[in-house]
Amino acid sequence: MVTAIKVTKFGVRASAVLLAGTTWFALATAAQAQQAPAPGPVAQQPAPLPEALEKRTIRTLRVEGTQRLEPETVLSYTRLRVGQTYTTESLDQAIRDVLASELLADVTIEGVESGDIVLRVRENPVINRVILEGNKRLKDEKIVKEIKLAPRQMFTRTAVRADVARIVELYRRQGRFAATVEPKMVSLDQNRVDIVFEVREGPKSKVRQINIIGNEQFSDGKLRGEMATKQARITTIMSSNTSYDQDRLAYDQQKLRQFYLTEGYADFRVVSAVAELTPDKRDFIITYVIEEGPRYKFGKVSVDSNIRDFDDEALAKGLAMKEGDWYNAKLVEDTIDQLSETAGAFGYAFANVSPDFQRDREKLTMTINFNIAEARRTYVERIDITGNTQTQDKVIRREMRLAEGDAFNTFLVKRSQDRINSLGYFNEKFEIEQKEGSAPDRVILTANVEEKSTGELTLSAGFSSLERFIFQGSIRQRNFRGKGQDLRLSADYSSYSKSVELGFTEPYLFDQNVALGGTIFRRDYNSFNYLGTDRRTTYQQVSTGGQVVLGVPLTEYWTLSGRYSLTHDSVTLDENTFFTSGVCDPLKAGRYLCEALGKRWTSAVGLSLIYDSLNSRLRPTRGQRLVLGTDFAGLGGDVKYLRGRFDADKYWNIGSGFIFSAGLEGGYIHSLEDAAAGVDPVRITDRFFLGEPQFRGFDIRGVGPRIQRVSYTGTVAGGNQALITNEDQIFDDAIGGRAYYLGKLELEIPLGAGAREMGIRPSIFFMAGANWGVREPNKTATFTQATDSSGNLLFNADGSPSLLPIQTPQFDSEGRALYAVSLGDSVAPGALTTCSIGYSETAGGACTGTSINTRYNLQTDPFIENFLGNSPKPRLSVGIGVNWNSPFGPLRLDLAHAFLTQKGDDTKLFTFNVGTSF
């Protein structure tokens, strides 16, 4: 029965009453309890009719009480008609038929004795609103689209029960088996009601325990590790697989079977798998009963081929499994794939490979004969391309290594698939489908692509441990006009660099397999060092120029690339800091920096030989890439050198989501110009630098040759001069090297599905490298040892010589000597003037007065310069890193320890780089 509370125009007088029976139904469904179901709702019974009624004739027939329904609609659900006879049974059946329509809440029959039959009815109310309360984990939108009840529909108990079951099922899919739904009805005027679903979501049901019965060869822990479902423990707090999932239960049974089959237990089976909900409905206990059976070895392994091109014995010798090895079902599957690919490589696209197993239960051996059915050599009938709405067909077809009419080859199909994936225009996991053609020896290749956005418009700001605040803006279309062309414009600004670059690449010039690209750029770079926490800019380099690149493939994997670049470099120093009288002062800047100043043109031509077999250029998991390049500068311009570089990388997919990679790069530059002693012929702006970010564990330019200027403390007179030992007070300038190498080993570690969806990719790495090869620069200054009044040399308390400061005479902008007026002068005490006697308010003006002035000198306190880091000995670091495609943008975190260094190297333990879009 349903009892409703009437709502007047003055408001709701009382809350709704439970719809009887509906809640019991929902609770029983959610909990799946091992108990008898609660009794269903009791339908409202009509008024009793006389026990015995003789056959009588219906004289009149009408319906009373309808509001929205037509009387004829109600009568259409009965078999009663005027002029027909009726009995008690026929009237009872009429009531049941009308109530079964679920249009009416109550039906009674009057006029039974007279034959004037009246069906007095009360209609079901109309739903005004459907309200959800208490749902937090599931939003209203997700529930509403799953339930059937809606405003302006007729209310029925059946529909309410069905919707309760649907809502409970939604929560079950979320792993919340303790969720309950209580429906309520609020009566309104005009026979309307509000339906309220009160939801109690409850906690997420976890897997408390996984029990395994029957395992003797492997521990419970080992078998649990093979399953996707995990027990709820502190160590699995971040895992999404600790909740109960019916589908995952079936998947785990398959995982167990696969594990045992790979270990040789061919008779293994799961007897039963039962999931029990704990009484508090919070957790599940899963129990597996298994039978391991005996362990088998491979018997004789043979190949029986009906394809005449194949040698059965040669194929059998090339198989990974050998007689006497433990049976492994995974090897059998891999062998089927291997033989299928071998047949495909010879042009048999639909070769059928079927293993014939002969099990010897006494000897515990598994004899296998791989039968390759007779097949006809296959040819490509047609290549269909679908799904590309923007990308032109020719962009995809030119990456196909097969053409229509060619002999089928699985290797070339796989290569075509990798090349199309590497374009980056389509969603990942693209595969070329193979379908039978119009004849048995014909195959149709279908490239069903799903395009993704290739246009990029980015405005970003971020913070980097390397560059401090970063602002970037770029616009790029990697598939310009759907022709595969790359058009890009970018601008970057940070605390030490600024750049703008415009580039365009046509990968297939005039539809020929020749790539042509060009770039014009302007780059401002500020080199810096630190004095304590104060970062001091040393030299500024402004580069303006452009480059043209032409690439021609030699084979499927080898490409020859040529380039020409023209660059104008301007290297300057801050005149206020490092100049004296308009000239670079070595005592302030260092002789090696003063020698680098100037403006130069560099005209260079280069060649690169490239080998590339990576399965993806975006995120490779297998294959290798090698680049050998050389550049010659001297076709005009001011700079002449010969530079060579190499870069090699190899990737292995070692299974279970682990990706191992190894990389090695290096370079050497040789100047074709002469230089004076103590001056390296390769300019500082052309040298190699090594450190963050490419060499983790070291700071920016933290590896390689450098000059450290260490000052003295104390006074000469006191005899207590000593070198500064505080590293924050030492000037450190990286000057780069003529040669470098850098090697890397890295293992990418897979995480769960949730982490992969978030784009989190952790890794561990080992790196080794060095940077060296420049001449030791000339010393900036030589300081004189102090003497006493008798001419005897003075020494400090530690036995080191006491050094005198350097006094550098100063001049004005016109080259006139400057003098300091005596402090006792009454006109201009301490002022600077060009007068040796007297004073002039203007430089070079008439001197007045009689004061005898002293020559004005700039004093430079003693210091020494140490040349460090110029060694090919390897520096080593090891660490862990995480790449994360975070909501704020790409984030890279590295924790690296440099455990082998050379004197002068600048290490760094932790680095990060993050940006965000706005």
Side-chain angles (χ1 to χ4, degrees):
M1 296 291 292
V2 177
T3 304
I5 296 177
K6 185 177 181 181
V7 178
T8 68
K9 62 182 179 180
F10 299 104
V12 179
R13 294 182 179 176
S15 62
V17 179
L18 170 69
L19 293 178
T22 304
T23 304
W24 285 104
F25 176 83
L27 292 174
T29 303
Q32 298 180 328
Q34 303 296 322
Q35 59 184 5
V42 180
Q44 184 170 356
Q45 298 298 322
L49 296 172
E51 294 183 2
L53 184 66
E54 296 178 359
K55 285 188 177 182
R56 296 186 181 183
T57 302
I58 301 175
R59 297 170 54 193
T60 61
L61 182 61
R62 69 180 189 272
V63 177
E64 294 182 358
T66 58
Q67 295 178 346
R68 292 175 300 275
L69 298 174
E70 295 294 333
E72 290 77 8
T73 301
V74 178
L75 290 176
S76 67
Y77 287 96
T78 72
R79 301 177 184 177
L80 301 178
R81 298 294 182 269
V82 175
Q84 291 183 350
T85 59
Y86 62 92
T87 63
T88 302
E89 290 76 13
S90 63
L91 294 179
D92 286 341
Q93 185 61 45
I95 293 174
R96 287 193 292 270
D97 290 343
V98 173
L99 290 175
S101 70
E102 295 191 344
L103 297 174
L104 303 172
D106 188 23
V107 180
T108 59
I109 295 180
E110 298 178 358
V112 175
E113 297 295 338
S114 64
D116 296 320
I117 303 300
V118 178
L119 275 69
R120 198 170 300 280
V121 301
R122 181 165 57 86
E123 293 181 356
N124 275 332
V126 173
I127 297 174
N128 178 56
R129 292 184 303 168
V130 177
I131 303 171
L132 297 167
E133 295 181 353
N135 55 308
K136 297 179 180 179
R137 301 294 179 179
L138 290 178
K139 301 300 181 183
D140 288 2
E141 296 78 14
K142 187 169 186 179
I143 297 177
V144 167
K145 68 180 181 181
E146 293 289 337
I147 62 178
K148 302 299 183 183
L149 290 179
R152 295 183 297 279
Q153 288 186 355
M154 197 75 74
F155 164 82
T156 65
R157 295 181 180 84
T158 302
V160 172
R161 285 195 294 267
D163 283 351
V164 168
R166 287 189 187 95
I167 297 173
V168 170
E169 179 62 25
L170 287 176
Y171 277 99
R172 287 179 59 192
R173 294 175 190 171
Q174 298 285 330
R176 298 181 183 277
F177 285 80
T180 61
V181 180
E182 183 179 354
K184 291 184 177 180
M185 181 179 71
V186 179
S187 297
L188 306 174
D189 55 4
Q190 299 179 356
N191 199 23
R192 296 176 303 132
V193 293
D194 284 345
I195 303 300
V196 181
F197 292 107
E198 290 188 354
V199 180
R200 294 182 179 86
E201 296 178 320
K204 202 166 188 177
S205 302
K206 301 290 185 180
V207 176
R208 179 185 298 178
Q209 185 69 34
I210 299 177
N211 299 319
I212 304 174
I213 301 174
N215 54 312
E216 297 178 357
Q217 302 299 325
F218 300 97
S219 66
D220 289 4
K222 174 64 176 176
L223 297 181
R224 291 191 194 107
E226 297 295 325
M227 300 179 187
T229 304
K230 304 300 179 184
Q231 297 179 135
R233 299 290 187 270
I234 294 179
T235 55
T236 58
I237 192 171
M238 298 297 293
S239 174
S240 60
N241 291 341
T242 57
S243 59
Y244 173 73
D245 188 318
Q246 181 83 17
D247 296 333
R248 200 184 297 133
L249 185 67
Y251 176 71
D252 285 339
Q253 295 180 58
Q254 293 299 320
K255 291 284 287 183
L256 283 175
R257 177 169 174 76
Q258 290 175 8
F259 170 73
Y260 270 95
L261 289 179
T262 58
E263 295 293 332
Y265 296 89
D267 295 334
F268 171 83
R269 70 188 186 100
V270 178
V271 178
S272 65
V274 179
E276 298 177 290
L277 189 63
T278 56
D280 60 5
K281 302 175 185 177
R282 290 178 174 270
D283 299 311
F284 276 88
I285 298 176
I286 302 176
T287 302
Y288 295 94
V289 179
I290 65 175
E291 287 184 3
E292 293 179 325
R295 193 178 188 188
Y296 287 77
K297 289 185 176 181
F298 282 113
K300 183 179 180 182
V301 181
S302 59
V303 177
D304 184 9
S305 173
N306 294 314
I307 300 177
R308 62 182 182 180
D309 294 338
F310 291 171
D311 184 339
D312 296 350
E313 293 185 1
L315 288 175
K317 290 180 180 179
L319 301 182
M321 60 190 71
K322 303 298 179 184
E323 185 175 357
D325 293 345
W326 290 112
Y327 173 74
N328 187 329
K330 182 65 167 57
L331 278 180
V332 176
E333 294 178 3
D334 293 343
T335 300
I336 295 174
D337 293 340
Q338 175 188 341
L339 293 174
S340 297
E341 290 182 3
T342 301
F346 281 86
Y348 301 95
F350 303 108
N352 183 27
V353 181
S354 58
D356 181 20
F357 297 90
Q358 298 292 331
R359 186 177 317 197
D360 190 330
R361 299 184 185 277
E362 294 182 358
K363 297 181 180 180
L364 297 180
T365 59
M366 186 74 73
T367 300
I368 305 177
N369 177 54
F370 292 95
N371 184 272
I372 305 177
E374 183 178 359
R376 303 177 67 175
R377 192 179 297 276
T378 313
Y379 297 87
V380 178
E381 177 180 346
R382 191 171 71 249
I383 298 176
D384 294 334
I385 298 175
T386 61
N388 53 315
T389 57
Q390 176 186 345
T391 306
Q392 297 182 7
D393 276 13
K394 69 176 183 179
V395 174
I396 303 174
R397 289 185 182 276
R398 66 196 185 194
E399 301 300 330
M400 300 289 292
R401 302 297 94 182
L402 287 167
E404 293 168 346
D406 288 352
F408 178 82
N409 188 305
T410 52
F411 173 77
L412 294 180
V413 171
K414 181 65 176 175
R415 179 61 182 166
S416 302
Q417 185 173 296
D418 290 343
R419 289 180 66 93
I420 294 173
N421 271 324
S422 294
L423 292 175
Y425 306 157
F426 314 107
N427 287 338
E428 296 180 1
K429 299 183 179 179
F430 158 78
E431 293 184 358
I432 298 177
E433 298 179 4
Q434 305 168 24
K435 300 178 181 178
E436 294 186 2
S438 58
D441 63 344
R442 295 291 184 267
V443 61
I444 298 174
L445 301 180
T446 302
N448 186 11
V449 300
E450 183 179 349
E451 290 186 318
K452 64 181 181 181
S453 176
T454 56
E456 302 170 3
L457 175 61
T458 304
L459 294 175
S460 62
F463 184 83
S464 166
S465 60
L466 173 64
E467 301 180 76
R468 299 300 188 262
F469 287 102
I470 307 169
F471 300 94
Q472 297 176 330
S474 66
I475 182 170
R476 183 182 185 187
Q477 176 52 259
R478 294 182 290 109
N479 189 13
F480 185 56
R481 299 188 298 166
K483 295 184 176 181
Q485 299 167 338
D486 190 342
L487 178 64
R488 56 201 178 273
L489 172 65
S490 64
D492 299 334
Y493 177 88
S494 70
S495 298
Y496 83 100
S497 66
K498 309 173 189 65
S499 69
V500 60
E501 182 174 314
L502 174 64
F504 177 79
T505 301
E506 168 55 75
Y508 279 77
L509 185 64
F510 305 122
D511 291 330
Q512 301 299 313
N513 198 4
V514 176
L516 177 65
T519 304
I520 56 176
F521 57 85
R522 164 68 180 258
R523 304 185 184 112
D524 294 4
Y525 171 78
N526 295 334
S527 180
F528 59 88
N529 58 27
Y530 283 94
L531 183 61
T533 58
D534 180 26
R535 186 169 68 170
R536 303 169 64 253
T537 298
T538 54
Y539 69 86
Q540 298 91 39
Q541 178 182 354
V542 178
S543 299
T544 306
Q547 185 179 63
V548 178
V549 180
L550 184 71
V552 180
L554 303 177
T555 67
E556 174 63 24
Y557 298 107
W558 289 97
T559 301
L560 183 64
S561 174
R563 59 190 170 273
Y564 173 77
S565 62
L566 181 64
T567 307
H568 179 264
D569 292 311
S570 176
V571 180
T572 60
L573 287 170
D574 184 1
E575 295 187 6
N576 294 328
T577 304
F578 300 106
F579 277 51
T580 299
S581 300
V583 179
C584 180
D585 189 345
L587 292 175
K588 296 179 179 179
R591 191 178 302 278
Y592 46 90
L593 289 183
C594 289
E595 293 166 352
L597 300 183
K599 296 180 179 180
R600 304 174 184 88
W601 284 95
T602 302
S603 176
V605 62
L607 282 176
S608 290
L609 186 62
I610 305 169
Y611 176 84
D612 189 346
S613 65
L614 298 178
N615 65 330
S616 172
R617 297 188 187 100
L618 304 177
R619 189 186 169 197
T621 58
R622 58 179 171 82
Q624 52 197 356
R625 177 179 172 84
L626 172 66
V627 180
L628 300 173
T630 182
D631 291 278
F632 168 71
L635 298 177
D638 307 310
V639 180
K640 295 181 181 180
Y641 62 74
L642 187 64
R643 179 173 59 197
R645 295 187 69 172
F646 72 91
D647 189 353
D649 295 283
K650 187 172 179 61
Y651 295 83
W652 295 268
N653 188 339
I654 58 179
S656 302
F658 289 90
I659 307 298
F660 180 73
S661 62
L664 179 64
E665 63 176 284
Y668 180 78
I669 183 170
H670 174 70
S671 177
L672 301 178
E673 303 175 61
D674 295 327
V679 178
D680 197 280
V682 178
R683 294 170 177 83
I684 191 172
T685 54
D686 296 324
R687 299 172 192 167
F688 297 112
F689 292 88
L690 193 59
E692 186 190 351
Q694 71 269 38
F695 199 167
R696 305 166 207 167
F698 293 88
D699 207 344
I700 179 174
R701 303 189 171 196
V703 176
R706 59 208 324 104
I707 298 294
Q708 287 187 350
R709 179 184 290 194
V710 186
S711 299
Y712 281 90
T713 62
T715 61
V716 176
N720 58 353
Q721 283 182 331
L723 289 174
I724 293 175
T725 57
N726 186 352
E727 294 184 357
D728 290 343
Q729 300 300 317
I730 297 176
F731 292 97
D732 189 327
D733 286 326
I735 60 175
R738 281 199 271 173
Y740 88 101
Y741 66 84
L742 178 64
K744 178 188 70 173
L745 300 175
E746 187 162 9
L747 178 64
E748 185 176 311
I749 303 171
L751 296 179
R756 287 198 302 271
E757 291 174 1
M758 294 174 62
I760 298 178
R761 295 183 289 114
S763 63
I764 57 176
F765 56 83
F766 169 84
M767 306 191 78
N771 184 17
W772 78 100
V774 296
R775 297 178 184 174
E776 181 175 357
N778 292 320
K779 296 296 183 182
T780 297
T782 301
F783 294 90
T784 304
Q785 187 172 355
T787 59
D788 59 14
S789 57
S790 301
N792 299 317
L793 296 176
L794 295 178
F795 293 88
N796 296 314
D798 60 0
S800 63
S802 294
L803 302 179
L804 294 173
I806 293 178
Q807 304 292 337
T808 306
Q810 300 299 296
F811 301 86
D812 68 2
S813 60
E814 299 296 329
R816 292 181 288 260
L818 291 176
Y819 296 86
V821 179
S822 172
L823 295 177
D825 184 71
S826 60
V827 178
L832 294 181
T833 180
T834 55
C835 300
S836 60
I837 298 176
Y839 177 74
S840 173
E841 292 184 357
T842 59
C847 300
T848 61
T850 60
S851 64
I852 300 176
N853 304 326
T854 58
R855 190 72 169 85
Y856 175 67
N857 298 321
L858 183 66
Q859 177 173 303
T860 303
D861 293 330
F863 62 83
I864 63 170
E865 288 179 332
N866 296 320
F867 179 56
L868 305 172
N870 191 35
S871 170
K873 293 182 179 179
R875 284 75 157 171
L876 305 179
S877 70
V878 64
I880 57 175
V882 176
N883 278 309
W884 179 28
N885 295 330
S886 72
F888 310 101
L891 170 67
R892 171 79 194 193
L893 302 174
D894 287 298
L895 186 66
H897 173 64
F899 62 91
L900 183 59
T901 63
Q902 298 296 319
K903 188 175 181 180
D905 290 345
D906 192 2
T907 61
K908 194 169 189 178
L909 180 64
F910 177 75
T911 58
F912 73 94
N913 199 337
V914 64
T916 185
S917 297
F918 59 89

